[in-house]
CSV table of all heavy atoms in Angstrom, one decimal:
chain,number,residue,atom,x,y,z
B,14,GLN,N,-12.9,-39.0,-10.0
B,14,GLN,CA,-13.9,-39.5,-10.9
B,14,GLN,C,-15.1,-38.9,-10.4
B,14,GLN,O,-15.4,-38.8,-9.3
B,14,GLN,CB,-14.0,-41.0,-11.0
B,14,GLN,CG,-12.7,-41.8,-11.5
B,14,GLN,CD,-12.6,-41.5,-13.1
B,14,GLN,OE1,-13.6,-41.6,-13.7
B,14,GLN,NE2,-11.4,-41.1,-13.5
B,15,GLU,N,-16.1,-38.6,-11.5
B,15,GLU,CA,-17.4,-38.1,-11.1
B,15,GLU,C,-18.1,-39.1,-10.1
B,15,GLU,O,-18.0,-40.4,-10.3
B,15,GLU,CB,-18.2,-38.2,-12.4
B,15,GLU,CG,-19.6,-37.6,-12.2
B,15,GLU,CD,-20.4,-37.5,-13.6
B,15,GLU,OE1,-19.7,-37.9,-14.7
B,15,GLU,OE2,-21.6,-37.0,-13.6
B,16,GLY,N,-18.6,-38.6,-9.1
B,16,GLY,CA,-19.2,-39.3,-8.0
B,16,GLY,C,-18.3,-39.5,-6.7
B,16,GLY,O,-18.9,-39.8,-5.7
B,17,ASP,N,-17.0,-39.4,-7.0
B,17,ASP,CA,-16.1,-39.5,-5.8
B,17,ASP,C,-16.3,-38.3,-5.0
B,17,ASP,O,-16.9,-37.2,-5.3
B,17,ASP,CB,-14.8,-39.7,-6.3
B,17,ASP,CG,-14.5,-41.0,-6.9
B,17,ASP,OD1,-15.5,-41.9,-6.9
B,17,ASP,OD2,-13.4,-41.1,-7.5
B,18,SER,N,-15.6,-38.3,-3.8
B,18,SER,CA,-15.6,-37.3,-2.8
B,18,SER,C,-14.2,-36.4,-3.2
B,18,SER,O,-13.2,-37.1,-3.3
B,18,SER,CB,-15.8,-37.6,-1.4
B,18,SER,OG,-17.0,-38.1,-1.1
B,19,ALA,N,-14.0,-35.2,-2.8
B,19,ALA,CA,-12.9,-34.4,-2.8
B,19,ALA,C,-12.7,-33.6,-1.6
B,19,ALA,O,-13.7,-33.1,-1.1
B,19,ALA,CB,-13.0,-33.5,-4.0
B,20,VAL,N,-11.5,-33.6,-1.1
B,20,VAL,CA,-11.1,-32.9,0.1
B,20,VAL,C,-10.0,-32.0,-0.1
B,20,VAL,O,-8.9,-32.4,-0.5
B,20,VAL,CB,-10.9,-33.9,1.3
B,20,VAL,CG1,-10.5,-33.0,2.6
B,20,VAL,CG2,-12.0,-34.8,1.5
B,21,ILE,N,-10.1,-30.7,0.2
B,21,ILE,CA,-9.0,-29.8,0.1
B,21,ILE,C,-8.7,-29.2,1.5
B,21,ILE,O,-9.6,-28.8,2.3
B,21,ILE,CB,-9.4,-28.6,-0.8
B,21,ILE,CG1,-9.6,-29.2,-2.1
B,21,ILE,CG2,-8.2,-27.7,-1.0
B,21,ILE,CD1,-10.3,-28.1,-3.1
B,22,LYS,N,-7.4,-29.2,1.9
B,22,LYS,CA,-7.1,-28.7,3.3
B,22,LYS,C,-6.2,-27.5,3.3
B,22,LYS,O,-5.4,-27.3,2.4
B,22,LYS,CB,-6.3,-29.9,4.0
B,22,LYS,CG,-7.2,-31.2,4.1
B,22,LYS,CD,-6.3,-32.2,4.8
B,22,LYS,CE,-6.9,-33.5,5.0
B,22,LYS,NZ,-6.4,-34.6,5.6
B,23,CYS,N,-6.5,-26.5,4.3
B,23,CYS,CA,-5.8,-25.4,4.5
B,23,CYS,C,-5.3,-25.2,5.9
B,23,CYS,O,-6.1,-25.7,6.8
B,23,CYS,CB,-6.6,-24.2,4.0
B,23,CYS,SG,-6.9,-24.0,2.3
B,24,THR,N,-4.1,-24.8,6.3
B,24,THR,CA,-3.7,-24.5,7.4
B,24,THR,C,-3.4,-22.9,7.6
B,24,THR,O,-3.0,-22.3,6.5
B,24,THR,CB,-2.5,-25.2,7.9
B,24,THR,OG1,-1.4,-24.8,7.0
B,24,THR,CG2,-2.7,-26.7,7.8
B,25,TYR,N,-3.6,-22.4,8.7
B,25,TYR,CA,-3.4,-21.0,8.9
B,25,TYR,C,-2.4,-20.7,10.1
B,25,TYR,O,-2.3,-21.6,11.0
B,25,TYR,CB,-4.6,-20.1,9.0
B,25,TYR,CG,-5.5,-20.6,10.2
B,25,TYR,CD1,-5.5,-19.8,11.4
B,25,TYR,CD2,-6.4,-21.7,10.0
B,25,TYR,CE1,-6.3,-20.1,12.5
B,25,TYR,CE2,-7.2,-22.0,11.0
B,25,TYR,CZ,-7.1,-21.3,12.4
B,25,TYR,OH,-8.0,-21.6,13.4
B,26,SER,N,-1.8,-19.6,10.2
B,26,SER,CA,-0.8,-19.4,11.3
B,26,SER,C,-1.3,-18.5,12.4
B,26,SER,O,-0.9,-18.6,13.4
B,26,SER,CB,0.5,-18.8,10.8
B,26,SER,OG,0.2,-17.5,10.1
B,27,ASP,N,-2.2,-17.5,12.0
B,27,ASP,CA,-2.7,-16.5,12.9
B,27,ASP,C,-3.9,-17.1,14.0
B,27,ASP,O,-5.0,-17.4,13.3
B,27,ASP,CB,-3.2,-15.2,12.4
B,27,ASP,CG,-3.3,-14.0,13.4
B,27,ASP,OD1,-3.6,-14.3,14.5
B,27,ASP,OD2,-3.3,-13.0,12.9
B,28,SER,N,-3.5,-17.4,15.2
B,28,SER,CA,-4.7,-17.9,16.0
B,28,SER,C,-5.8,-17.1,16.2
B,28,SER,O,-6.8,-17.5,16.7
B,28,SER,CB,-4.0,-18.4,17.3
B,28,SER,OG,-3.4,-17.4,17.9
B,29,ALA,N,-5.6,-15.8,16.0
B,29,ALA,CA,-6.8,-14.8,16.0
B,29,ALA,C,-7.8,-14.9,14.9
B,29,ALA,O,-8.8,-14.4,15.0
B,29,ALA,CB,-6.3,-13.4,16.3
B,30,SER,N,-7.3,-15.5,13.9
B,30,SER,CA,-8.3,-15.6,12.7
B,30,SER,C,-9.6,-16.2,13.0
B,30,SER,O,-9.6,-17.3,13.8
B,30,SER,CB,-7.7,-16.3,11.6
B,30,SER,OG,-6.6,-15.6,11.1
B,31,ASN,N,-10.7,-15.7,12.9
B,31,ASN,CA,-12.0,-16.3,13.0
B,31,ASN,C,-13.1,-16.3,12.0
B,31,ASN,O,-14.2,-16.5,12.2
B,31,ASN,CB,-12.6,-15.7,14.3
B,31,ASN,CG,-12.8,-14.2,14.1
B,31,ASN,OD1,-12.5,-13.8,13.1
B,31,ASN,ND2,-13.1,-13.5,15.1
B,32,TYR,N,-12.6,-16.2,10.7
B,32,TYR,CA,-13.4,-16.3,9.6
B,32,TYR,C,-12.8,-17.0,8.4
B,32,TYR,O,-11.6,-16.5,8.0
B,32,TYR,CB,-14.0,-14.8,9.1
B,32,TYR,CG,-14.7,-14.9,7.8
B,32,TYR,CD1,-16.0,-15.4,7.9
B,32,TYR,CD2,-14.1,-14.3,6.8
B,32,TYR,CE1,-16.8,-15.4,6.7
B,32,TYR,CE2,-14.9,-14.4,5.6
B,32,TYR,CZ,-16.2,-14.7,5.6
B,32,TYR,OH,-16.8,-14.8,4.4
B,33,PHE,N,-13.4,-18.0,7.9
B,33,PHE,CA,-12.6,-18.9,6.8
B,33,PHE,C,-13.5,-19.1,5.7
B,33,PHE,O,-14.3,-20.0,5.7
B,33,PHE,CB,-12.1,-20.1,7.4
B,33,PHE,CG,-11.4,-19.9,8.7
B,33,PHE,CD1,-12.1,-19.8,10.0
B,33,PHE,CD2,-10.0,-19.7,8.7
B,33,PHE,CE1,-11.4,-19.6,11.1
B,33,PHE,CE2,-9.2,-19.4,9.9
B,33,PHE,CZ,-10.0,-19.4,11.1
B,34,PRO,N,-13.3,-18.3,4.6
B,34,PRO,CA,-14.2,-18.6,3.3
B,34,PRO,C,-13.5,-19.5,2.3
B,34,PRO,O,-12.2,-19.6,2.3
B,34,PRO,CB,-14.3,-17.1,2.7
B,34,PRO,CG,-13.1,-16.5,3.1
B,34,PRO,CD,-12.6,-17.0,4.5
B,35,TRP,N,-14.3,-20.0,1.6
B,35,TRP,CA,-13.7,-20.8,0.2
B,35,TRP,C,-14.4,-20.1,-1.0
B,35,TRP,O,-15.5,-19.8,-1.0
B,35,TRP,CB,-14.2,-22.3,0.3
B,35,TRP,CG,-13.3,-23.0,1.4
B,35,TRP,CD1,-13.7,-23.3,2.7
B,35,TRP,CD2,-12.2,-23.7,1.2
B,35,TRP,NE1,-12.8,-24.0,3.3
B,35,TRP,CE2,-11.8,-24.5,2.4
B,35,TRP,CE3,-11.4,-24.0,0.0
B,35,TRP,CZ2,-10.7,-25.2,2.6
B,35,TRP,CZ3,-10.3,-24.8,0.3
B,35,TRP,CH2,-9.9,-25.3,1.5
B,36,TYR,N,-13.4,-20.0,-1.9
B,36,TYR,CA,-13.9,-19.4,-3.2
B,36,TYR,C,-13.7,-20.5,-4.3
B,36,TYR,O,-12.6,-21.2,-4.3
B,36,TYR,CB,-13.1,-18.2,-3.5
B,36,TYR,CG,-13.6,-17.0,-2.7
B,36,TYR,CD1,-13.1,-16.8,-1.4
B,36,TYR,CD2,-14.4,-16.1,-3.3
B,36,TYR,CE1,-13.4,-15.7,-0.7
B,36,TYR,CE2,-14.9,-15.0,-2.5
B,36,TYR,CZ,-14.4,-14.8,-1.3
B,36,TYR,OH,-14.7,-13.7,-0.5
B,37,LYS,N,-14.5,-20.5,-5.3
B,37,LYS,CA,-14.3,-21.3,-6.6
B,37,LYS,C,-14.1,-20.4,-7.5
B,37,LYS,O,-14.9,-19.3,-8.0
B,37,LYS,CB,-15.6,-22.2,-6.6
B,37,LYS,CG,-15.7,-22.9,-8.0
B,37,LYS,CD,-17.0,-23.6,-8.1
B,37,LYS,CE,-17.1,-24.4,-9.4
B,37,LYS,NZ,-18.5,-24.9,-9.6
B,38,GLN,N,-13.2,-20.7,-8.4
B,38,GLN,CA,-12.8,-19.9,-9.6
B,38,GLN,C,-12.8,-20.8,-10.9
B,38,GLN,O,-11.8,-21.6,-11.0
B,38,GLN,CB,-11.5,-19.0,-9.5
B,38,GLN,CG,-11.5,-18.0,-10.6
B,38,GLN,CD,-10.1,-17.1,-10.3
B,38,GLN,OE1,-9.3,-17.5,-9.7
B,38,GLN,NE2,-10.2,-15.9,-11.0
B,39,GLU,N,-13.7,-20.6,-11.7
B,39,GLU,CA,-13.8,-21.4,-13.0
B,39,GLU,C,-12.8,-20.7,-14.1
B,39,GLU,O,-12.6,-19.5,-13.8
B,39,GLU,CB,-15.2,-21.6,-13.6
B,39,GLU,CG,-16.1,-22.3,-12.6
B,39,GLU,CD,-17.5,-22.5,-13.1
B,39,GLU,OE1,-17.7,-23.0,-14.2
B,39,GLU,OE2,-18.4,-21.9,-12.4
B,40,LEU,N,-12.4,-21.2,-15.1
B,40,LEU,CA,-11.4,-20.8,-15.8
B,40,LEU,C,-12.0,-19.4,-16.6
B,40,LEU,O,-13.0,-19.4,-17.2
B,40,LEU,CB,-11.0,-21.7,-17.0
B,40,LEU,CG,-9.9,-21.4,-17.9
B,40,LEU,CD1,-8.6,-21.2,-17.2
B,40,LEU,CD2,-9.8,-22.4,-19.0
B,41,GLY,N,-11.3,-18.3,-16.5
B,41,GLY,CA,-11.7,-17.1,-17.1
B,41,GLY,C,-12.9,-16.3,-16.3
B,41,GLY,O,-13.3,-15.5,-16.7
B,42,LYS,N,-13.2,-16.9,-15.1
B,42,LYS,CA,-14.3,-16.3,-14.3
B,42,LYS,C,-13.8,-15.7,-13.0
B,42,LYS,O,-12.7,-15.8,-12.6
B,42,LYS,CB,-15.4,-17.4,-14.0
B,42,LYS,CG,-16.0,-18.1,-15.3
B,42,LYS,CD,-16.9,-17.1,-16.0
B,42,LYS,CE,-17.6,-17.8,-17.1
B,42,LYS,NZ,-18.5,-18.9,-16.7
B,43,ARG,N,-14.8,-15.0,-12.3
B,43,ARG,CA,-14.3,-14.4,-11.2
B,43,ARG,C,-14.4,-15.5,-10.0
B,43,ARG,O,-15.0,-16.5,-10.0
B,43,ARG,CB,-15.4,-13.3,-10.7
B,43,ARG,CG,-16.8,-13.9,-10.3
B,43,ARG,CD,-17.8,-13.0,-10.2
B,43,ARG,NE,-18.4,-12.5,-11.4
B,43,ARG,CZ,-19.3,-11.4,-11.6
B,43,ARG,NH1,-19.5,-10.7,-10.5
B,43,ARG,NH2,-19.8,-11.1,-12.7
B,44,PRO,N,-13.6,-15.2,-8.9
B,44,PRO,CA,-13.7,-16.0,-7.7
B,44,PRO,C,-15.1,-15.9,-7.1
B,44,PRO,O,-15.5,-14.8,-7.1
B,44,PRO,CB,-12.6,-15.5,-6.8
B,44,PRO,CG,-11.8,-14.8,-7.7
B,44,PRO,CD,-12.5,-14.2,-8.8
B,45,GLN,N,-15.7,-17.0,-6.8
B,45,GLN,CA,-17.2,-16.9,-6.1
B,45,GLN,C,-17.1,-17.6,-4.8
B,45,GLN,O,-16.4,-18.7,-4.6
B,45,GLN,CB,-18.0,-17.8,-7.0
B,45,GLN,CG,-18.5,-17.0,-8.4
B,45,GLN,CD,-19.7,-17.6,-9.1
B,45,GLN,OE1,-19.6,-18.9,-9.5
B,45,GLN,NE2,-20.8,-16.9,-9.2
B,46,LEU,N,-17.6,-16.9,-4.0
B,46,LEU,CA,-17.7,-17.4,-2.4
B,46,LEU,C,-18.7,-18.5,-2.5
B,46,LEU,O,-19.8,-18.4,-2.9
B,46,LEU,CB,-18.2,-16.3,-1.6
B,46,LEU,CG,-18.5,-16.7,-0.1
B,46,LEU,CD1,-17.0,-17.1,0.5
B,46,LEU,CD2,-19.1,-15.5,0.7
B,47,ILE,N,-18.3,-19.8,-2.0
B,47,ILE,CA,-19.1,-20.9,-2.1
B,47,ILE,C,-19.6,-21.3,-0.7
B,47,ILE,O,-20.7,-21.9,-0.5
B,47,ILE,CB,-18.6,-22.1,-2.9
B,47,ILE,CG1,-17.2,-22.5,-2.3
B,47,ILE,CG2,-18.5,-21.7,-4.3
B,47,ILE,CD1,-16.7,-23.8,-2.8
B,48,ILE,N,-18.8,-21.1,0.2
B,48,ILE,CA,-19.0,-21.4,1.6
B,48,ILE,C,-18.1,-20.7,2.6
B,48,ILE,O,-17.0,-20.5,2.1
B,48,ILE,CB,-19.1,-23.0,1.9
B,48,ILE,CG1,-19.8,-23.3,3.1
B,48,ILE,CG2,-17.8,-23.5,1.7
B,48,ILE,CD1,-20.1,-24.8,3.3
B,49,ASP,N,-18.5,-20.3,3.7
B,49,ASP,CA,-17.6,-19.9,4.7
B,49,ASP,C,-18.0,-20.3,6.1
B,49,ASP,O,-19.0,-20.9,6.3
B,49,ASP,CB,-17.5,-18.4,4.7
B,49,ASP,CG,-19.0,-17.7,4.9
B,49,ASP,OD1,-19.9,-18.3,5.5
B,49,ASP,OD2,-19.1,-16.6,4.5
Side-chain angles (χ1 to χ4, degrees):
Chain B
Q14 292 291 316
E15 183 177 0
D17 289 349
S18 295
V20 180
I21 304 170
K22 298 181 179 179
C23 287
T24 60
Y25 60 97
S26 59
D27 190 336
S28 58
S30 295
N31 56 6
Y32 172 72
F33 307 93
W35 285 90
Y36 286 84
K37 174 185 180 182
Q38 188 173 27
E39 297 177 63
L40 189 63
K42 301 285 184 65
R43 75 186 79 191
Q45 284 191 300
L46 178 65
I47 56 171
I48 195 167
D49 56 21

